[in-house]
Amino acid sequence: MICVLLVAGHGTVLETQIKNDVTGLYGHLAGVPKALLPGVGGKKILDFWWETVNTRQLFSEVYLVTNADKYKHYERWATANDFPVENVVNDGSTTLDDRLGAVADLELAIRSRQLQDDIMVIAGDMLCADQNFDIAQVIRFFKSKSGELAIYYELEEGEKCCSRGIVEVLLPHPLNDPTEFGSLQDLFRISRKEGYLGGLRLLQATCKKFYQFCSKQGIALTKQNFTLKYDTNIPRQVGLAGSSAIVSATLKCLMKFYNITEDDLPKPIRANFILNVETDELFITAGLQDRVVQVYEGLVYMDFSKQLMEERGYGEYIPLDMSSLPTFWLGYLGDPSDSGPHSQQRETALAKW
């Protein structure tokens, strides 16, 4: 059996989106073919398909059909990935207007290379997210039946086609999650002062814990995707629960996006959830007080008696009236150094006691 990977799209929609992106985070991807965009773990989409069709010797030959506009990209990819360059077929099109289309590209490969065997055709710029997908089973099923075989994704009821093929994206904060530095010395200075703990890890850990919680509770999440980014005006490293505030805000976004109600995730459990993101996923030493205030918002009476915590897993929380409170002033150092791990501070405090 022969495999033909079709990657002759001109990516005009993607190019437009990259050019119109005001964040500038994706400017370096301009002109890159969709199949060569970085995927999970930095691997290109085409890398996954090449690994799938090449490692198990399922096919006698593998061909790649592209266009003249993107041919150089795929030629270099082939050279770097031990793909036979002579099997990269150029359909000659340079724009969307003179494109041949998938059927004509397939016919070109068959005619120009005089292919005589059964052929599996794969859209090389689409990535199958199902980890249980086994291309060998597809071949076995095809050989057990007569005729042609087509595999497609069937949209579920209420699912929009625009939700497919869009990856969940977590965007780094330009200040708190630096990825570009003026020099190696700048990287050293910033890392020594601020550490390596930006907010991006908080978003990722919250998303992971949220999916885990919903799966355990039997809550079905709709198949729709999103881009998640954050900003904060809470001063860093001064003990004002800035990390848990980002987790709390992320959880609110996820609940609203997926229509998770108060009954699904009550406020007392929500405070525990936020704490567990920090303690279980990120190994941050923390307590419930800040998380309870973030969930209930405002002045809250809290009773963490041992009996309550052991019986139901959370304390007694009662919102209080704030109208008669005096004005509070807060003083903090505007440019602090890294405060260090909380666990060390706790050990130091206990030693003094």
Side-chain angles (χ1 to χ4, degrees):
M1 178 172 283
I2 296 171
C3 178
V4 175
L5 294 160
L6 299 180
V7 289
H10 290 274
T12 52
V13 175
L14 177 64
E15 284 293 307
T16 301
Q17 292 177 337
I18 290 176
K19 291 178 181 178
N20 293 337
D21 176 48
V22 296
T23 67
L25 294 172
Y26 309 105
H28 64 289
L29 298 177
V32 178
K34 283 193 293 183
L36 298 184
L37 290 175
V40 180
K43 293 177 64 175
K44 300 175 178 62
I45 297 174
L46 189 57
D47 291 343
F48 285 93
W49 283 120
W50 177 226
E51 181 179 328
T52 299
V53 303
N54 185 48
T55 55
R56 299 171 64 179
Q57 298 181 340
L58 300 172
F59 302 95
S60 58
E61 292 181 285
V62 180
Y63 291 90
L64 192 71
V65 185
T66 185
N67 54 58
D69 183 38
K70 306 296 184 184
Y71 177 80
K72 200 66 180 178
H73 289 275
Y74 290 108
E75 183 183 51
R76 291 178 179 175
W77 173 87
T79 302
N81 290 273
D82 200 25
F83 184 95
V85 178
E86 63 272 15
N87 285 9
V88 180
V89 181
N90 186 346
D91 72 3
S93 66
T94 57
T95 65
L96 184 65
D97 294 332
D98 66 356
R99 70 190 185 279
L100 302 188
V103 175
D105 279 332
L106 176 60
E107 191 276 333
L108 173 65
I110 295 173
R111 174 171 45 83
S112 63
R113 298 302 192 268
Q114 299 181 356
L115 307 183
Q116 301 294 329
D117 201 354
D118 291 326
I119 298 175
M120 174 177 287
V121 183
I122 297 175
D125 59 358
M126 299 292 180
L127 186 60
C128 179
D130 189 348
Q131 300 299 317
N132 297 319
F133 177 77
D134 186 353
I135 201 168
Q137 292 184 12
V138 176
I139 295 176
R140 285 194 293 268
F141 182 80
F142 168 76
K143 291 182 176 180
S144 69
K145 308 288 183 180
S146 59
E148 289 74 32
L149 172 65
I151 299 178
Y152 64 95
Y153 178 86
E154 185 176 3
L155 293 176
E156 298 179 3
E157 184 178 355
E159 185 179 2
K160 298 179 180 180
C161 61
C162 62
S163 69
R164 308 306 302 172
I166 304 174
V167 181
E168 285 93 346
V169 178
L170 306 181
L171 298 181
H173 190 277
L175 181 62
N176 299 332
D177 303 294
T179 57
E180 296 182 1
F181 304 89
S183 66
L184 188 60
Q185 182 180 9
D186 287 343
L187 183 149
F188 169 79
R189 179 178 53 82
I190 293 174
S191 300
R192 182 177 62 178
K193 180 179 180 181
E194 301 183 6
Y196 312 101
L197 307 180
L200 196 60
R201 65 189 179 121
L202 302 170
L203 305 187
Q204 186 171 355
T206 307
C207 290
K208 177 193 173 186
K209 204 72 173 178
F210 178 78
Y211 181 85
Q212 182 180 355
F213 172 84
C214 292
S215 299
K216 187 176 181 180
Q217 298 298 319
I219 301 173
L221 299 178
T222 56
K223 291 183 178 180
Q224 51 184 341
N225 301 297
F226 56 83
T227 297
L228 185 61
K229 59 183 178 180
Y230 77 98
D231 195 8
T232 178
N233 58 4
I234 300 176
R236 296 184 62 189
Q237 302 169 340
V238 292
L240 291 179
S243 295
S244 59
I246 294 174
V247 175
S248 178
T250 302
L251 178 59
K252 288 182 180 180
C253 290
L254 291 171
M255 291 181 64
K256 184 176 181 179
F257 185 77
Y258 286 107
N259 295 317
I260 303 301
T261 66
E262 182 77 23
D263 293 333
D264 297 323
L265 189 51
K267 287 184 176 180
I269 305 301
R270 209 180 306 167
N272 287 359
F273 177 99
I274 297 169
L275 178 63
N276 290 337
V277 168
E278 297 180 271
T279 58
D280 296 351
E281 296 295 323
L282 302 173
F283 306 105
I284 298 174
T285 303
L288 272 170
Q289 291 93 329
D290 294 336
R291 289 87 197 152
V292 172
V293 171
Q294 290 161 0
V295 169
Y296 283 85
E297 300 182 359
L299 184 63
V300 184
Y301 166 81
M302 310 176 201
D303 180 3
F304 297 104
S305 68
K306 183 177 180 181
Q307 181 179 355
L308 285 175
M309 297 300 294
E310 289 180 349
E311 288 179 355
R312 60 188 189 183
Y314 57 88
E316 183 72 24
Y317 311 136
I318 303 175
L320 302 176
D321 182 24
M322 296 179 58
S323 59
S324 58
L325 290 178
T327 301
F328 282 90
W329 294 89
L330 177 67
Y332 62 90
L333 185 64
D335 189 24
S337 60
D338 189 359
S339 58
H342 290 2
S343 58
Q344 294 179 4
Q345 296 175 355
R346 184 184 184 190
E347 291 172 0
T348 302
L350 290 174
K352 292 181 178 180
W353 280 93

